[in-house]
Amino acid sequence: MLVPVGSPLVLLAVAALGTGLLVRFRAGESAEARSFTGLFEFGLWSGLIGVSLALWIAVAAVAANALYERWQQPANHPGRAAFCVYGAGLLGVGLAVSMALGVLQPKADPWYPSPFPWDGAAWRFTLLVLLGQLAACPVIVGLWDTQARMAQMARRISGSGSAPDTAPTDDSLRELHALWKDAVKFLTCGLIIICMAVIDTGALRNALLAYAAQTPGVEVDFPASYVLLYGAFFSVMFAFVFVPVALQWRGLAHRLVESTSPIPALGALTADWMDQRAALTSFLRLDLSLPQALSPTLGILAPFAVSALSLVLPGG
């Protein structure tokens, strides 16, 4: 009973602390910073940062719990080599994201390369980026681990066609269905993290443009294309992570159908075989076209769509 009641309270506390401490604590000591932090647009952005931190923690906890439940089963626990590969992969993703953020950093005069009239901007932005990347770690590892589980399952169901070398077990269908549900869960968690980061970027742009509009002699070079590039970049990165998982799952589903209900000789076709194969094909959505069956993967375009919507956030 305490968990359902306590979770929203914890998330509200995180949102409040993120807004009050990380964004606003001693953030307006200079005259320029006080002018910036007093804007309505800055208040909107700081509130979104607090909400983002709360959501990041929530979805990271969901993804981490899904991984914990999977790894509780000895057969699914990764070895040391897998952990090393996951760690190296996370390091590579982190470097790629950091490089992209550096390339897409807005320029302004006279604050470049720290263009934000906000005391402590350097360490605050560094901490925000680090927290976002940490929240995404269990999501990315979850997708990679799902792909590894599919590869193991494919090796168990070796062969295809009418004479498979190894028949699938009774739990194969349930396992495959659970892997797809986990993949969609990790996809949703990752999209929440990324979309909130893109919304925050659009809100920050509005705040900087509002400050430049009311401050003589200040020009901020933060074009809308930067926000769209953020969304497009994260959509492409997530496509590289998730689309192989989705295609691998569909290929494994085809293999499971061929191994469970192989096509018999022409004279051995029966109504029972046709009903069984049709039911299995329908359950695994193999009777749909590839775009229809992989419709959940269209969610990877959400960051790009959100980046466009974030450009029309309200201003004062």
Side-chain angles (χ1 to χ4, degrees):
M1 183 63 183
L2 292 178
V3 173
V5 175
S7 297
L9 296 178
V10 170
L11 295 179
L12 287 174
V14 169
L17 291 174
T19 302
L21 294 180
L22 180 59
V23 181
R24 288 188 171 274
F25 179 69
R26 303 188 66 178
E29 295 187 344
S30 64
E32 295 85 359
R34 283 194 298 273
S35 178
F36 180 54
T37 56
L39 292 172
F40 166 83
E41 289 80 1
F42 179 86
L44 176 62
W45 175 67
S46 63
L48 288 173
I49 289 294
V51 173
S52 297
L53 291 174
L55 288 177
W56 290 352
I57 290 177
V59 298
V62 170
N65 183 67
L67 277 176
Y68 175 77
E69 291 181 351
R70 177 187 294 175
W71 291 347
Q72 281 291 93
Q73 304 175 15
N76 293 333
H77 196 280
R80 293 183 178 178
F83 280 118
C84 291
V85 172
Y86 293 158
L90 289 175
L91 181 61
V93 172
L95 290 175
V97 172
S98 299
M99 291 175 61
L101 294 178
V103 170
L104 299 177
Q105 182 180 12
K107 301 176 179 61
D109 183 42
W111 299 296
Y112 186 78
S114 296
F116 308 105
W118 184 37
D119 294 334
W123 70 264
R124 296 176 201 270
F125 278 115
T126 300
L127 183 57
L128 282 173
V129 172
L130 179 61
L131 291 174
Q133 291 180 344
L134 288 176
C137 285
V139 175
I140 298 174
V141 171
L143 287 172
W144 286 339
D145 193 68
T146 299
Q147 197 169 8
R149 300 281 80 76
M150 291 181 188
Q152 291 180 355
M153 187 176 179
R155 287 193 293 269
R156 293 200 306 268
I157 311 174
S158 57
S160 61
S162 60
D165 298 329
T166 304
T169 65
D170 292 339
D171 292 332
S172 296
L173 184 60
R174 285 190 289 268
E175 181 182 359
L176 185 60
H177 182 61
L179 286 173
W180 179 250
K181 289 176 62 178
D182 285 346
V184 174
K185 180 188 297 182
F186 291 129
L187 169 67
T188 304
C189 290
L191 290 178
I192 291 174
I193 294 174
I194 292 174
C195 288
M196 288 307 303
V198 173
I199 291 174
D200 295 339
T201 303
L204 175 61
R205 174 180 179 270
N206 285 355
L208 289 173
L209 293 180
Y211 177 76
Q214 74 170 22
T215 306
V218 174
E219 295 183 1
V220 175
D221 183 16
F222 200 158
S225 59
Y226 277 28
V227 182
L228 296 176
L229 284 174
Y230 271 117
F233 169 77
F234 285 120
S235 291
V236 170
M237 283 205 66
F238 221 79
F240 277 119
V241 175
F242 186 78
V243 169
V245 177
L247 294 177
Q248 185 179 5
W249 184 89
R250 186 167 173 87
L252 185 55
H254 275 291
R255 173 174 287 190
L256 182 62
V257 171
E258 295 299 331
S259 299
T260 304
S261 184
I263 299 176
L266 180 60
L269 288 175
T270 63
D272 289 341
W273 175 86
M274 295 182 66
D275 290 341
Q276 180 191 28
R277 187 172 175 101
L280 188 59
T281 300
S282 177
F283 179 76
L284 294 174
R285 297 167 59 85
L286 296 179
D287 55 338
L288 303 178
S289 65
L290 185 61
Q292 290 175 319
L294 301 183
S295 58
T297 63
L298 296 178
I300 60 178
L301 300 177
F304 182 73
V306 168
S307 67
L309 295 176
S310 68
L311 299 175
V312 295
L313 288 170

